[in-house]
Amino acid sequence: LFRSWSHYSESHKGFSIEYDFKNIDHVCGKEILIYPVFYKNHPYDCSKEIRWNKGVEFMKGNFIPLKSALVKSKDWAYEKEWRVILITDGTPASRAAKLAKPKSLYLGSMVDESNKLTKKVIEYANQNGIGIYKMESQEDSFSMKAVPFLKNY
């Protein structure tokens, strides 16, 4: 978790949003898929599938883009990621998906609370009953702890 904050939140200055996807079809509709990431030694190679399935019809409904999006180097396995995949028909209207209500907001340990976007996100969470936590480094280990954040804007 500590490394993820360093990689993805501008060195602990950003935030992370937690969702509860237990009832994904009910909350978001069937156009959203959630899959775990597969950590491999080599990238996904689709060349055999493309050679075997020649023609334009093959590109309709195939899983090559999905398979490609779900494979990552084993070096990143500690992240235990999941990917949210939105199925669209290519039109702007189909790209506007309704996601589940966030469950929690996690602020990085170095977040700038005076930042305009940070204030808006915190205000939104407060107004919508979303739990807010601030990550804190632990003195006795290389881990982070989520501590309730009680400031209102």
Side-chain angles (χ1 to χ4, degrees):
L1 186 61
F2 192 81
R3 287 185 280 181
S4 293
W5 277 100
S6 297
H7 291 300
Y8 297 114
S9 71
E10 197 179 345
S11 297
H12 303 263
K13 296 176 192 165
F15 57 88
S16 175
I17 300 171
E18 176 184 14
Y19 292 94
D20 181 0
F21 287 116
K22 288 180 185 155
N23 297 313
I24 186 73
D25 288 344
H26 174 70
V27 176
C28 302
K30 300 210 183 280
E31 70 278 356
I32 294 180
L33 307 170
I34 301 177
Y35 290 101
V37 170
F38 298 95
Y39 300 98
K40 308 272 186 180
N41 288 324
H42 303 285
Y44 169 66
D45 180 5
C46 64
S47 59
K48 290 180 185 175
E49 288 183 61
I50 291 174
R51 273 184 261 144
W52 185 73
N53 295 291
K54 294 179 183 172
V56 177
E57 283 300 310
F58 169 66
M59 292 311 289
K60 293 181 182 175
N62 78 69
F63 293 99
I64 288 176
L66 179 61
K67 290 177 184 177
S68 298
L70 296 176
V71 176
K72 214 170 163 181
S73 168
K74 276 192 174 187
D75 294 339
W76 297 94
Y78 68 89
E79 292 187 341
K80 300 176 187 166
E81 294 172 88
W82 284 69
R83 298 269 165 98
V84 176
I85 309 290
L86 174 64
I87 307 299
T88 74
D89 62 10
T91 62
S94 72
R95 291 187 207 126
K98 178 186 172 197
L99 286 177
K101 176 184 169 186
K103 179 180 176 181
S104 301
L105 169 66
Y106 296 90
L107 305 171
S109 61
M110 306 289 284
V111 72
D112 177 2
E113 295 173 31
S114 67
N115 177 284
K116 194 174 183 179
L117 175 60
T118 302
K119 283 183 174 183
K120 280 186 170 184
V121 170
I122 292 170
E123 182 180 344
Y124 177 86
N126 278 325
Q127 291 172 351
N128 290 280
I130 299 165
I132 307 172
Y133 302 89
K134 187 167 182 182
M135 303 305 293
E136 290 184 359
S137 300
Q138 299 302 292
E139 291 181 20
D140 59 346
S141 69
F142 294 110
S143 63
M144 305 292 291
K145 180 180 179 183
V147 177
F149 183 82
L150 306 173
K151 192 177 281 189
N152 287 311
Y153 289 101

